[in-house]
Amino acid sequence: MTIKKISWRGNLVSVQPRIRLTRSFDQRSHSYLGYSLHVAGTIGDQEKEFLVGIGKGAQAKHKFQAGYRIEGECLPVAAPRLESVEFYKTSKLNVLERSPLNPGTPPPWLGIPDDLVTYRQRGHRRLDARTYVAKCLACIWGCRMAVEMIIDHWNPSQRKYRSETFCFGPKSCRFYRAGPTRKVPGRRGMIWEELDWVDDEDTLHRELDE
Ligand code: SF4
């Protein structure tokens, strides 16, 4: 049976990487799924803001950036806890108007986001969830990741889910706030606290303004 996709169109508020973070106590790994399009417009018969996932190939082809007016078709995600977007399997993507937002003086950084390899190489620091919503929604360096936590690696079916916000941007950004440390539940009630040194190590290779 073919499921009918939902048509949508609207203005791009932002384009950010679409990444899933898997945590197992003090271990973490990333799945680079593509990009998240934050759209203000119409989906089906609803007018609202929504998040649509696309692959890296679609982003490389269309070079989406904040301000563009675009349209497409998609499906609701089958496993919302594993995705930072609400819709995916996007097709019939089309740019209606190439009118990028004036980048002005950053922050936030607007324009076309880098490829996913660059994001991986840059590394990230935790970003306060409220700062992300207040200051970083439009920035190409902001990212809300879907997080899957394996509580007991001897019993991997035991999992928990949440989302976490991160910054891949310059360490000197004046909007940046780290927020509370992230705590990861483990077996027998143990907790791993991800302290600042993890972020420092992940971004050590970058200068302050890089
Ligand atoms: S804190 Fe990070 S995501 Fe937010 S504006 Fe600055 S560089 Fe962008």
Side-chain angles (χ1 to χ4, degrees):
M1 193 181 79
T2 317
I3 303 170
K4 194 171 173 336
K5 289 192 172 180
I6 310 165
S7 299
W8 55 267
R9 69 167 51 186
N11 294 324
L12 265 175
V13 176
S14 73
V15 185
Q16 294 182 339
R18 176 177 154 226
I19 300 170
R20 183 184 308 138
L21 178 63
T22 305
R23 289 187 179 277
S24 179
F25 206 56
D26 59 343
Q27 305 294 308
R28 63 183 196 188
S29 63
H30 301 77
S31 303
Y32 294 82
L33 306 172
Y35 293 84
S36 166
L37 306 179
H38 182 158
V39 184
T42 310
I43 181 154
D45 56 7
Q46 285 184 290
E47 203 164 308
K48 60 177 195 169
E49 293 189 16
F50 49 95
L51 298 172
V52 180
I54 60 167
K56 62 179 182 182
Q59 175 59 19
K61 177 178 174 190
H62 295 285
K63 300 191 168 31
F64 293 128
Q65 57 178 304
Y68 278 22
R69 186 161 178 75
I70 65 172
E71 64 179 3
E73 288 185 0
C74 61
L75 287 176
V77 298
R81 295 185 302 184
L82 292 176
E83 278 284 359
S84 57
V85 295
E86 304 158 87
F87 302 94
Y88 68 170
K89 297 196 189 296
T90 311
S91 55
K92 298 194 180 167
L93 278 166
N94 185 30
V95 179
L96 300 166
E97 217 176 291
R98 278 181 203 280
S99 43
L101 289 186
N102 183 347
T105 309
W109 277 263
L110 304 179
I112 304 169
D114 268 289
D115 58 47
L116 296 174
V117 174
T118 302
Y119 279 93
R120 183 167 55 76
Q121 286 168 346
R122 290 180 66 84
H124 56 62
R125 299 182 295 163
R126 73 176 188 274
L127 173 61
D128 178 59
R130 279 180 301 186
T131 304
Y132 173 77
V133 172
K135 305 276 192 190
C136 309
L137 278 182
C139 183
I140 60 167
W141 299 125
C143 182
R144 182 186 292 283
M145 297 185 196
V147 181
E148 183 175 41
M149 294 174 288
I150 301 166
I151 306 303
D152 181 353
H153 66 275
W154 299 109
N155 176 16
S157 63
Q158 210 189 323
R159 293 175 187 233
K160 285 189 176 173
Y161 300 87
R162 68 186 186 199
S163 70
E164 295 179 25
T165 44
F166 292 95
C167 169
F168 287 83
K171 290 185 274 188
S172 58
C173 177
R174 62 188 160 87
F175 284 173
Y176 180 77
R177 297 283 178 279
T181 54
R182 308 268 156 88
K183 281 101 180 160
V184 186
R187 58 202 293 256
R188 297 193 189 133
M190 288 194 296
I191 303 280
W192 158 256
E193 184 177 8
E194 198 168 73
L195 297 174
D196 291 349
W197 67 263
V198 176
D199 288 352
D200 294 344
E201 207 168 74
D202 208 40
T203 55
L204 192 65
H205 57 292
R206 282 199 270 125
E207 299 293 330
L208 273 184
D209 291 335
E210 204 178 319

